[in-house]
Amino acid sequence: MFITFEGIDGCGKSTQARRLVEFLLREKGNGKALWTREPGGWTGSGNLRELILSQEFEHPWTEVFLFLADRCEHAKKIIEPALQEGVIVICERFDDSSRAYQVWGRGIELEKIERALALAEYPRPDRTILLDVSVETAMGRVLARANLDRYEKEGKSFLERVIEGYRFLAAREKSRIRPVNGEGKPDEVFARILDSLEGCF
Ligand code: TYD
């Protein structure tokens, strides 16, 4: 089972993804679930993550290919081996981030991004939890952080477009992408996530 968490910056993905992994490790046993994230979920990816998050690129496709390169290596080194051993993989951000951010955020055509994603061979998520929060909630959380990356500095209208993208994707692929209300206390949100994953494990 390959589960991804998606949503705008500050939606609570990290908190909830870690909770889910802890829950699964308790329920299924040690080693039966794995937490990872993009960009930069593999050993040696530090420089690539740093490059992606700190640089401003002139050409809109530069970041697409960097995210995709990161994803390919992440898939080969971490995700595929774990899935082959029957481990449940929980990943913060995956290919829907490329759709929502690069299409709705940056303005590349969806159909072109789909073609680029289809070229790269990597496991497709079985389920995706889309943590849906208002831009106000998300920005309040992000601005409380110390060091903002270049995406987190983009501001309100960028995040509004990205949320709109995620909602479009969820409506397009209802069986895989499950929107979960991310507003409220972490315990409440986690209970909604478990409900939405009923029957998966
Ligand atoms: P990161 O800081 O790790 O995530 P978060 O702020 O949610 O903890 O993610 C870096 C940024 O990269 C995030 O703002 C979304 C963006 N991103 C893309 O634009 N395309 C992608 O394919 C991926 C994986 C991330």
Side-chain angles (χ1 to χ4, degrees), residues 6-11 13-14 37-39 49 52-53 63-64 67-68 70-71 92-102 106 117 142 145 149-152 158-159 166:
E6 294 280 358
I8 56 171
D9 304 80
C11 69
K13 286 184 312 300
S14 300
R37 70 155 179 199
E38 287 196 357
R49 180 177 161 88
I52 293 174
L53 295 184
E63 65 177 11
V64 175
F67 281 120
L68 208 45
D70 175 66
R71 184 161 309 133
E92 277 177 46
R93 296 202 181 285
F94 201 65
D95 55 359
D96 295 306
S97 285
S98 296
R99 297 182 177 95
Y101 279 78
Q102 273 62 62
R106 299 284 189 231
L117 298 181
V142 166
R145 292 177 193 163
D149 65 41
R150 68 191 177 91
Y151 293 89
E152 291 163 346
F158 180 85
L159 291 183
Y166 274 127

Side-chain angles (χ1 to χ4, degrees), residues 5-18 92 131 133 138 141 145 182 189 193:
F5 275 76
E6 294 280 358
I8 56 171
D9 304 80
C11 69
K13 286 184 312 300
S14 300
T15 309
Q16 297 299 335
R18 284 173 189 278
E92 277 177 46
L131 280 179
V133 295
R141 292 176 186 164
R145 292 177 193 163
V189 177
I193 290 172

